[in-house]
């Protein structure tokens, strides 16, 4: 009886340990998410109270601040009071897909806001950044911005592939032309040799 019950007890113990490990990981993740959400709300509230930003624009800017801080190019984003005026921020009724790429989710409004990206090195000058957020009601469903890192990588890869393709086509054309010229040149001597043979035969006769 003890031998048959031992595997069952072991399986139960493993199951309990797995459940405990999962709960510990959730407990670790939850405070980090809560801290991030709290920082987001505090920053959005600051934009609303101190800079008189629209709540949706303030929410978009707070999210943009977090996303830009994860970029390899920037340390953080600064939003001066001018970021929230009508020349640098807007809310546009949309009722369509956010974009034609991966974020084709339908949104009711598109919010745009501009800020200054401060480089990680601190030596370079701040870069003008433009953030775009898609909302349904007060819920953000889509986000994009002019992060300089991915476009630079994609552009260099595309240019190199174009160069390689151009070289391949040019090389193939060159080889083909060489082959055609060589075949023509090789065919000419054969005709000359055959005509010389026939002339020699006539002379012998």
């Amino acid at each position: 009886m003890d031998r048959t019950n031992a595997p069952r007890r072991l399986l139960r113990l493993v199951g309990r340990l797995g459940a405990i490990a999962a709960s510990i990981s959730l407990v670790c993740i939850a405070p980090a998410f809560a801290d991030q959400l709290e920082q987001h709300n505090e920053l959005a509230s600051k934009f609303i109270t101190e800079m008189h930003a629209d709540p949706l624009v303030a929410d978009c800017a707070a999210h943009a601040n977090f996303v830009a801080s994860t970029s390899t190019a920037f340390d953080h984003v600064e939003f001066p009071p001018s970021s929230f005026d009508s020349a640098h921020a807007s809310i546009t009724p949309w009722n369509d897909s956010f974009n034609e790429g991966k974020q084709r989710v339908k949104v009711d409004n598109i919010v745009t806001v501009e800020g200054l990206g401060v480089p990680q090195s601190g030596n370079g000058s701040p870069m003008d950044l433009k953030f775009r957020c898609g909302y349904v009601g007060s819920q953000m469903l889509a986000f994009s911005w002019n992060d300089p890192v991915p476009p630079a990588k994609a552009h260099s890869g595309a240019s190199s592939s174009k160069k390689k393709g151009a070289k391949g086509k040019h090389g193939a054309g060159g080889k083909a032309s060489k082959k055609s010229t060589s075949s023509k040149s090789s065919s000419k001597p054969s005709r000359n040799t055959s005509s010389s043979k026939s002339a020699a035969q006539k002379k012998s006769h």
Side-chain angles (χ1 to χ4, degrees):
M1 293 295 290
D2 292 337
R3 289 181 180 177
T4 55
N5 290 333
R8 293 179 183 177
R9 290 176 183 174
L10 183 61
L11 289 173
R12 287 176 186 174
L13 179 62
V14 171
R16 288 176 185 174
L17 290 174
I20 291 169
S23 62
I24 289 171
S25 62
L26 289 174
V27 168
C28 294
I29 293 169
F33 179 76
D35 290 343
Q36 180 185 329
L37 184 61
E38 186 178 354
Q39 291 174 4
H40 174 94
N41 292 337
E42 286 179 358
L43 191 58
S45 179
K46 178 184 176 182
F47 292 151
I48 294 169
T49 56
E50 296 182 11
M51 302 185 185
H52 309 289
D54 183 272
L56 284 184
V57 176
D59 184 76
C60 182
H63 183 72
N65 182 71
F66 168 74
V67 173
S69 67
T70 63
S71 172
T72 57
F74 304 107
D75 179 69
H76 66 281
V77 181
E78 292 181 356
F79 291 97
S82 60
S83 293
F84 303 102
D85 61 24
S86 59
H88 301 93
S90 64
I91 300 175
T92 306
W94 201 250
N95 194 28
D96 201 351
S97 299
F98 181 73
N99 61 24
E100 295 301 322
K102 294 181 179 180
Q103 301 187 74
R104 294 184 181 179
V105 60
K106 189 175 181 180
V107 296
D108 295 338
N109 293 296
I110 286 185
V111 176
T112 58
V113 61
E114 298 178 16
L116 295 173
V118 179
Q120 286 191 352
S121 59
N123 298 328
S125 57
M127 177 182 173
D128 292 329
L129 298 177
K130 188 171 184 178
F131 305 97
R132 190 169 176 260
C133 306
Y135 286 88
V136 172
S138 60
Q139 185 178 8
M140 184 192 301
L141 298 182
F143 176 84
S144 65
W145 65 300
N146 59 331
D147 183 3
V149 179
K153 289 181 179 178
H155 181 70
S156 62
S159 62
S160 62
S161 63
K162 285 181 181 178
K163 288 179 181 177
K164 288 179 181 177
K167 287 181 180 177
K169 289 179 181 178
H170 182 71
K175 288 179 181 178
S177 61
K178 286 180 181 178
K179 285 181 179 179
S180 60
T181 53
S182 62
S183 62
K184 287 180 181 178
S185 61
S186 61
S187 61
K188 286 180 181 179
S190 61
R191 291 177 182 175
N192 293 334
T193 53
S194 60
S195 60
S196 61
K197 283 181 181 179
S198 60
Q201 287 175 357
K202 287 180 180 179
K203 285 182 180 180
S204 62
H205 289 297

